[in-house]
Amino acid sequence: MNPNVIYLTVVILFMVALLVIGMLISRGVKNQKDWMVAGKSLGMLPMAGTYFATIVSAASIVSYMGYYYLKGWPGVWNCAGTFLTSFLACLWFAKRLRKAGCDTLPEYIASRYGKQLAMPASVLILVCTIALLAAQVTGGIVVLQSFVDWNNVTCCIVLLVVFLAFTAMGGMKAVAWTDTICSFVIIIGVWVMAVEFLGEIGGFTAMNEQVAAINPGFVQAFSVEIPPLTALSWVVTWGICNFGAPQFIARFFSAESPEIASRSQGLTGIGLLLFYIPLSIIGIGGMLLVPGIENQDQVFTTLVTTKLSPIMGAVLFAAVVAAIISTADSLLLLAASTFSNDIYAKLKPNVSDTQLLKVSRIATVVIGIGGVSLTFFLNEAIQFIQARAVTLMGAAMAILTMVGVVWKGANRTGAAASMIAGFATACIWYALGQPGGVMAALPAVIVALVVLVVVSKVTAPPPAEVVEKFFPEEVKGK
């Protein structure tokens, strides 16, 4: 049988199975809160699964693999921040954010710092989320065109229909459970490929010896292209800026309890470890098995179609489609929720819950079309499209999110100044071409933190009711 037929058949069967599961789960969606945050009912497994699958996007499989192929072991610094996010969330932030009782990141910002900051935050989230969605569509096109002879427009239409179907039918609860299934498929898929590669190369040690013979810098912690400051800025891009990316923060708000929100991050960290180890092996081993690939985003499909059997390749394609679907439906859900809950509902405060749910579903379609349309104007590697969008949101909101639940002195004036300063720093840094190879996240986060602290210190403290809501233990202890 033609390998392309096997690839397509397995991917279609997998998507149909996920769609049926999502439809069954969607029967329990009765109102806007059910659709947006699963009625705050997610337990440990779906919490960990949906967070993992949202982190592991088209960038993670398609683009990161190519990055490791081109950069060697120093390239692995680009995923270190994802572990930092889960570590920090598990120890301090997830539990505290869930206790805030909010449904969205703009709602949290409004509650902690004032309503005036919620609208600009919502608009920024909406714009950046559409860019993130475009990155998923780009990844989907790369995968589909490796085994079907479709042009970009046809691929975009197919992907849009799939994304909308998975998101609109059941909201967060359906997304969380289908994400969890995708998580297992993703981890199994990359391990299948990594074991296959190591077997052909002769083992882990042999792989590193052969890679060192090509370029000794490929087996070092840092390299000429990725010096320590660049590595640190990668860590900050995902480790800190993810706290300003609402597709991740929304998971904490959906947890059954603050304790579940916290503990699930420990489980997520294990899942990420089980994913990035084999992914690194595949990318680095791939430079030995199929040398000469120059396009970062073509490495994955080239390795799958040339080095794996059709059945194993089909499993991998199903895994990457799982990653793309899980991230895309999360982004669509986030964007629609942001528009309906944080923009539309604020402009029309008397709207009914039924109308709001309808608006959310319509917004899902419109935003999906916007993300697909943007794909035709983007030329960067998927990884860098995603990094820019997360950096811009993180520069404006990550420090506010984190500091807001650990320091009671942070106030509205400081938050407004921090948002502006962080976002402006990121934009300026990008305009300068990211000097020294340092990602924009590093200077932007430092500036945002310093401005928040300094301005909050020299202006009036936050209102007593805000302190009492977010720091009740300290208030009671006085």
Side-chain angles (χ1 to χ4, degrees):
M1 184 182 290
N2 188 321
N4 290 344
V5 175
I6 297 175
Y7 298 149
L8 183 61
T9 301
V10 172
V11 169
I12 289 175
L13 289 175
F14 180 73
M15 287 193 295
V16 169
L18 285 181
L19 191 61
V20 170
I21 292 169
M23 289 173 66
L24 292 173
I25 294 171
S26 69
R27 293 177 181 177
V29 175
K30 296 175 180 151
N31 54 47
Q32 174 72 359
K33 190 171 284 288
D34 283 342
W35 192 81
M36 191 164 58
V37 290
K40 295 188 181 292
S41 64
L42 296 184
M44 177 87 76
L45 183 60
M47 266 292 297
T50 190
Y51 190 93
F52 171 89
T54 303
I55 283 274
V56 178
S57 59
S60 299
I61 297 184
V62 175
S63 213
Y64 281 23
M65 188 183 293
Y67 194 66
Y68 305 150
Y69 177 99
L70 296 172
K71 308 297 183 184
W73 285 110
V76 177
W77 282 106
N78 79 337
C79 72
T82 58
F83 294 101
L84 178 62
T85 301
S86 288
F87 177 75
L88 294 175
C90 182
L91 290 183
W92 292 295
F93 297 104
K95 185 175 182 178
R96 297 183 185 197
L97 286 166
R98 174 61 180 83
K99 281 183 176 180
C102 301
D103 293 337
T104 65
L105 182 55
E107 184 181 334
Y108 163 77
I109 290 174
S111 179
R112 178 63 180 86
Y113 298 107
K115 295 179 180 178
Q116 296 88 338
L117 301 185
M119 188 60 72
S122 299
V123 173
L124 176 61
I125 288 168
L126 201 55
V127 172
C128 290
T129 301
I130 292 173
L132 288 170
L133 181 61
Q136 303 311 306
V137 176
T138 302
I141 292 172
V142 170
V143 173
L144 286 177
Q145 289 182 341
S146 65
F147 56 83
V148 293
D149 188 22
W150 295 346
N151 60 31
N152 286 2
V153 174
T154 302
C155 289
C156 284
I157 293 171
V158 170
L159 290 167
L160 177 62
V161 171
V162 171
F163 294 165
L164 292 175
F166 276 91
T167 308
M169 64 182 174
M172 175 63 84
K173 196 165 188 178
V175 165
W177 279 105
T178 53
D179 277 359
T180 302
I181 295 168
C182 290
S183 299
F184 285 105
V185 175
I186 291 166
I187 291 173
I188 292 169
V190 291
W191 273 108
V192 166
M193 195 170 183
V195 170
E196 179 88 0
F197 274 31
L198 286 177
E200 186 168 345
I201 293 169
F204 187 78
T205 302
M207 179 185 76
N208 284 320
E209 289 173 350
Q210 293 175 52
V211 168
I214 296 173
N215 185 339
F218 283 166
V219 294
Q220 304 297 320
F222 306 102
S223 66
V224 175
E225 290 185 84
I226 307 178
L229 263 182
T230 300
L232 177 61
S233 62
W234 266 126
V235 174
V236 172
T237 297
W238 304 123
I240 303 300
C241 287
N242 275 350
F243 283 98
Q247 67 268 33
F248 306 125
I249 301 303
R251 269 63 194 158
F252 305 150
F253 296 148
S254 302
E256 187 176 44
S257 67
E259 290 71 28
I260 291 292
S262 178
R263 290 200 297 267
S264 68
Q265 285 301 296
L267 188 58
T268 300
I270 295 172
L272 290 170
L273 188 65
L274 290 173
F275 169 73
Y276 281 114
I277 288 175
L279 193 78
S280 305
I281 291 170
I282 296 166
I284 294 168
M287 72 171 74
L288 302 174
L289 298 176
V290 187
I293 306 172
E294 297 180 358
N295 187 320
Q296 179 176 332
D297 290 344
Q298 293 294 333
V299 169
F300 168 76
T301 54
T302 303
L303 293 179
V304 170
T305 54
T306 58
K307 298 306 299 180
L308 296 184
S309 68
I311 295 298
M312 286 187 178
V315 172
L316 258 295
F317 280 132
V320 75
V321 168
I324 291 168
I325 290 173
S326 63
T327 303
D329 59 21
S330 297
L331 291 169
L332 276 171
L333 177 65
L334 162 69
S337 299
T338 299
F339 177 79
S340 61
N341 194 68
D342 299 309
I343 297 177
Y344 187 83
K346 298 301 180 289
L347 297 175
K348 294 188 69 175
N350 297 322
V351 65
S352 69
D353 194 69
T354 303
Q355 289 176 311
L356 208 54
L357 182 58
K358 183 178 180 181
V359 168
S360 295
R361 284 178 164 152
I362 294 172
T364 301
V365 176
V366 175
I367 291 165
I369 293 171
V372 166
S373 301
L374 184 60
T375 304
F376 295 97
F377 301 95
L378 299 175
N379 297 312
E380 282 188 302
I382 299 167
Q383 155 179 296
F384 295 106
I385 297 171
Q386 188 155 313
R388 283 178 185 268
V390 170
T391 294
L392 291 175
M393 289 190 291
M397 296 178 290
I399 293 300
L400 303 191
T401 303
M402 299 171 77
V403 174
V405 292
V406 296
W407 181 44
K408 66 182 180 181
N411 63 18
R412 183 176 65 190
T413 308
S418 177
M419 285 183 74
I420 295 169
F423 183 78
T425 301
C427 291
I428 292 169
W429 203 260
Y430 278 128
L432 293 174
Q434 300 189 106
V438 176
M439 307 297 170
L442 182 59
V445 163
I446 292 172
V447 169
L449 177 60
V450 171
V451 169
L452 175 62
V453 173
V454 171
V455 175
S456 294
K457 284 284 189 181
V458 299
T459 52
E465 59 269 22
V466 171
V467 175
E468 186 174 352
K469 177 179 179 179
F470 286 90
F471 302 92
E473 298 86 358
E474 293 188 30
V475 173
K476 290 178 182 177
K478 287 187 176 182

